[in-house]
Short mmCIF file of all heavy atoms in Angstrom, two decimals:
data_model
loop_
_atom_site.label_atom_id
_atom_site.label_comp_id
_atom_site.label_asym_id
_atom_site.label_seq_id
_atom_site.Cartn_x
_atom_site.Cartn_y
_atom_site.Cartn_z
N ALA H 19 85.82 35.17 66.32
CA ALA H 19 86.98 34.42 66.78
C ALA H 19 87.94 35.30 67.58
O ALA H 19 88.48 34.88 68.60
CB ALA H 19 87.71 33.79 65.60
N ALA H 20 88.13 36.54 67.12
CA ALA H 20 89.10 37.43 67.77
C ALA H 20 88.48 38.26 68.88
O ALA H 20 89.20 38.81 69.71
CB ALA H 20 89.72 38.37 66.73
N LYS H 21 87.15 38.37 68.88
CA LYS H 21 86.45 39.23 69.84
C LYS H 21 86.99 40.66 69.78
O LYS H 21 87.14 41.33 70.79
CB LYS H 21 86.55 38.69 71.27
CG LYS H 21 86.02 37.31 71.47
CD LYS H 21 84.53 37.28 71.39
CE LYS H 21 84.03 35.91 71.79
NZ LYS H 21 82.91 35.47 71.05
N ASN H 22 87.32 41.09 68.56
CA ASN H 22 87.91 42.40 68.36
C ASN H 22 87.48 42.90 66.98
O ASN H 22 87.66 42.21 65.99
CB ASN H 22 89.43 42.29 68.44
CG ASN H 22 90.12 43.62 68.42
OD1 ASN H 22 89.59 44.62 67.93
ND2 ASN H 22 91.34 43.65 68.93
N ILE H 23 86.95 44.11 66.92
CA ILE H 23 86.47 44.66 65.66
C ILE H 23 87.60 45.19 64.78
O ILE H 23 87.42 45.39 63.58
CB ILE H 23 85.42 45.77 65.93
CG1 ILE H 23 84.63 46.13 64.66
CG2 ILE H 23 86.06 47.02 66.51
CD1 ILE H 23 83.72 45.07 64.17
N ALA H 24 88.78 45.37 65.34
CA ALA H 24 89.90 45.96 64.59
C ALA H 24 90.31 45.11 63.39
O ALA H 24 90.57 45.64 62.31
CB ALA H 24 91.10 46.19 65.50
N LEU H 25 90.39 43.80 63.55
CA LEU H 25 90.81 42.94 62.44
C LEU H 25 89.88 43.01 61.23
O LEU H 25 90.35 43.20 60.11
CB LEU H 25 90.98 41.50 62.90
CG LEU H 25 92.23 41.22 63.72
CD1 LEU H 25 92.23 39.79 64.23
CD2 LEU H 25 93.48 41.49 62.91
N PRO H 26 88.56 42.89 61.42
CA PRO H 26 87.69 43.03 60.24
C PRO H 26 87.79 44.42 59.60
O PRO H 26 87.72 44.53 58.37
CB PRO H 26 86.28 42.79 60.79
CG PRO H 26 86.48 42.02 62.03
CD PRO H 26 87.80 42.45 62.59
N ILE H 27 88.00 45.45 60.39
CA ILE H 27 88.15 46.80 59.84
C ILE H 27 89.42 46.88 58.99
O ILE H 27 89.42 47.43 57.89
CB ILE H 27 88.15 47.86 60.96
CG1 ILE H 27 86.75 47.97 61.56
CG2 ILE H 27 88.63 49.21 60.43
CD1 ILE H 27 86.68 48.85 62.80
N ILE H 28 90.49 46.30 59.49
CA ILE H 28 91.76 46.31 58.73
C ILE H 28 91.61 45.51 57.44
O ILE H 28 92.02 45.96 56.36
CB ILE H 28 92.91 45.75 59.60
CG1 ILE H 28 93.24 46.74 60.71
CG2 ILE H 28 94.15 45.46 58.75
CD1 ILE H 28 94.15 46.19 61.79
N PHE H 29 90.99 44.32 57.52
CA PHE H 29 90.79 43.51 56.32
C PHE H 29 89.92 44.25 55.30
O PHE H 29 90.20 44.23 54.11
CB PHE H 29 90.15 42.16 56.66
CG PHE H 29 91.05 41.22 57.41
CD1 PHE H 29 90.52 40.25 58.23
CD2 PHE H 29 92.43 41.29 57.29
CE1 PHE H 29 91.34 39.37 58.91
CE2 PHE H 29 93.27 40.42 57.97
CZ PHE H 29 92.71 39.46 58.78
N HIS H 30 88.87 44.89 55.78
CA HIS H 30 87.99 45.64 54.88
C HIS H 30 88.74 46.80 54.24
O HIS H 30 88.60 47.06 53.04
CB HIS H 30 86.76 46.15 55.64
CG HIS H 30 85.72 46.75 54.76
ND1 HIS H 30 85.84 48.00 54.21
CD2 HIS H 30 84.53 46.26 54.35
CE1 HIS H 30 84.76 48.26 53.48
NE2 HIS H 30 83.94 47.22 53.55
N GLY H 31 89.56 47.49 55.01
CA GLY H 31 90.36 48.59 54.46
C GLY H 31 91.33 48.12 53.39
O GLY H 31 91.48 48.78 52.34
N LEU H 32 91.98 47.00 53.63
CA LEU H 32 92.90 46.45 52.63
C LEU H 32 92.14 46.04 51.36
O LEU H 32 92.60 46.30 50.24
CB LEU H 32 93.66 45.25 53.19
CG LEU H 32 94.70 45.57 54.26
CD1 LEU H 32 95.23 44.29 54.90
CD2 LEU H 32 95.84 46.38 53.68
N TRP H 33 90.99 45.42 51.54
CA TRP H 33 90.18 45.02 50.40
C TRP H 33 89.75 46.25 49.59
O TRP H 33 89.83 46.26 48.36
CB TRP H 33 88.95 44.25 50.85
CG TRP H 33 88.10 43.82 49.71
CD1 TRP H 33 86.99 44.45 49.23
CD2 TRP H 33 88.30 42.69 48.87
NE1 TRP H 33 86.49 43.77 48.16
CE2 TRP H 33 87.29 42.68 47.91
CE3 TRP H 33 89.27 41.67 48.84
CZ2 TRP H 33 87.19 41.71 46.93
CZ3 TRP H 33 89.16 40.71 47.86
CH2 TRP H 33 88.14 40.73 46.93
N ASP H 34 89.30 47.30 50.28
CA ASP H 34 88.90 48.53 49.58
C ASP H 34 90.07 49.15 48.84
O ASP H 34 89.91 49.65 47.73
CB ASP H 34 88.30 49.54 50.56
CG ASP H 34 86.87 49.22 50.94
OD1 ASP H 34 86.27 48.32 50.30
OD2 ASP H 34 86.35 49.87 51.86
N TYR H 35 91.22 49.13 49.46
CA TYR H 35 92.40 49.70 48.79
C TYR H 35 92.68 48.97 47.48
O TYR H 35 92.90 49.60 46.44
CB TYR H 35 93.63 49.63 49.71
CG TYR H 35 94.88 50.10 49.02
CD1 TYR H 35 95.11 51.45 48.81
CD2 TYR H 35 95.81 49.18 48.56
CE1 TYR H 35 96.24 51.88 48.16
CE2 TYR H 35 96.96 49.60 47.90
CZ TYR H 35 97.17 50.95 47.70
OH TYR H 35 98.29 51.38 47.05
N ILE H 36 92.63 47.64 47.52
CA ILE H 36 92.89 46.86 46.31
C ILE H 36 91.79 47.08 45.27
O ILE H 36 92.06 47.31 44.10
CB ILE H 36 93.03 45.36 46.64
CG1 ILE H 36 94.31 45.12 47.44
CG2 ILE H 36 93.00 44.51 45.38
CD1 ILE H 36 94.40 43.74 48.06
N SER H 37 90.55 47.01 45.72
CA SER H 37 89.45 47.08 44.75
C SER H 37 89.19 48.49 44.22
O SER H 37 88.69 48.65 43.11
CB SER H 37 88.17 46.50 45.35
OG SER H 37 87.76 47.26 46.45
N LEU H 38 89.53 49.52 44.99
CA LEU H 38 89.28 50.89 44.55
C LEU H 38 90.46 51.52 43.83
O LEU H 38 90.33 52.58 43.23
CB LEU H 38 88.86 51.77 45.73
CG LEU H 38 87.54 51.38 46.39
CD1 LEU H 38 87.28 52.23 47.62
CD2 LEU H 38 86.38 51.44 45.42
N SER H 39 91.60 50.86 43.90
CA SER H 39 92.75 51.39 43.18
C SER H 39 92.56 51.12 41.69
O SER H 39 91.67 50.37 41.28
CB SER H 39 94.05 50.75 43.68
OG SER H 39 94.10 49.39 43.32
N GLU H 40 93.37 51.68 40.89
CA GLU H 40 93.26 51.53 39.44
C GLU H 40 93.93 50.25 38.93
O GLU H 40 94.07 50.07 37.72
CB GLU H 40 93.89 52.75 38.75
CG GLU H 40 93.18 54.06 39.08
CD GLU H 40 91.77 54.12 38.50
OE1 GLU H 40 91.57 53.69 37.36
OE2 GLU H 40 90.87 54.59 39.21
N ILE H 41 94.32 49.37 39.83
CA ILE H 41 95.06 48.18 39.42
C ILE H 41 94.24 47.28 38.49
O ILE H 41 94.78 46.67 37.58
CB ILE H 41 95.57 47.38 40.64
CG1 ILE H 41 96.60 46.35 40.19
CG2 ILE H 41 94.43 46.73 41.39
CD1 ILE H 41 97.39 45.74 41.31
N THR H 42 92.91 47.24 38.68
CA THR H 42 92.09 46.37 37.82
C THR H 42 91.99 46.92 36.41
O THR H 42 91.75 46.15 35.47
CB THR H 42 90.68 46.16 38.41
OG1 THR H 42 90.07 47.43 38.61
CG2 THR H 42 90.76 45.42 39.73
N LYS H 43 92.13 48.21 36.27
CA LYS H 43 92.13 48.79 34.92
C LYS H 43 93.47 48.59 34.24
O LYS H 43 93.55 48.36 33.04
CB LYS H 43 91.78 50.28 34.98
CG LYS H 43 90.35 50.53 35.37
CD LYS H 43 90.03 52.01 35.40
CE LYS H 43 88.59 52.20 35.83
NZ LYS H 43 88.24 53.59 35.99
N THR H 44 94.53 48.69 35.03
CA THR H 44 95.87 48.50 34.49
C THR H 44 96.14 47.03 34.17
O THR H 44 96.73 46.70 33.15
CB THR H 44 96.93 49.01 35.49
OG1 THR H 44 96.62 50.35 35.85
CG2 THR H 44 98.32 48.97 34.89
N TYR H 45 95.70 46.17 35.07
CA TYR H 45 95.91 44.72 34.92
C TYR H 45 94.56 44.01 35.05
O TYR H 45 94.18 43.58 36.14
CB TYR H 45 96.86 44.20 35.99
CG TYR H 45 98.20 44.90 36.00
CD1 TYR H 45 98.49 45.87 36.96
CD2 TYR H 45 99.17 44.59 35.04
CE1 TYR H 45 99.71 46.52 36.96
CE2 TYR H 45 100.39 45.24 35.05
CZ TYR H 45 100.65 46.21 36.01
OH TYR H 45 101.87 46.84 36.01
N PRO H 46 93.81 43.85 33.96
CA PRO H 46 92.47 43.23 34.02
C PRO H 46 92.46 41.82 34.61
O PRO H 46 91.45 41.38 35.14
CB PRO H 46 92.01 43.20 32.56
CG PRO H 46 92.83 44.24 31.88
CD PRO H 46 94.14 44.30 32.62
#
């Protein structure tokens, strides 16, 4: 839709930040 790879990279980075942080251990 965007014809730009930057948006999926940003979304993936945000997802990794959330999923790799310790937040799931602190707040199951």
Side-chain angles (χ1 to χ4, degrees):
K21 302 288 188 217
N22 187 336
I23 194 69
L25 285 175
I27 290 172
I28 291 168
F29 290 154
H30 189 284
L32 290 171
W33 180 263
D34 281 350
Y35 175 76
I36 291 168
S37 63
L38 296 175
S39 68
E40 298 293 319
I41 193 167
T42 57
K43 291 181 182 175
T44 307
Y45 304 102

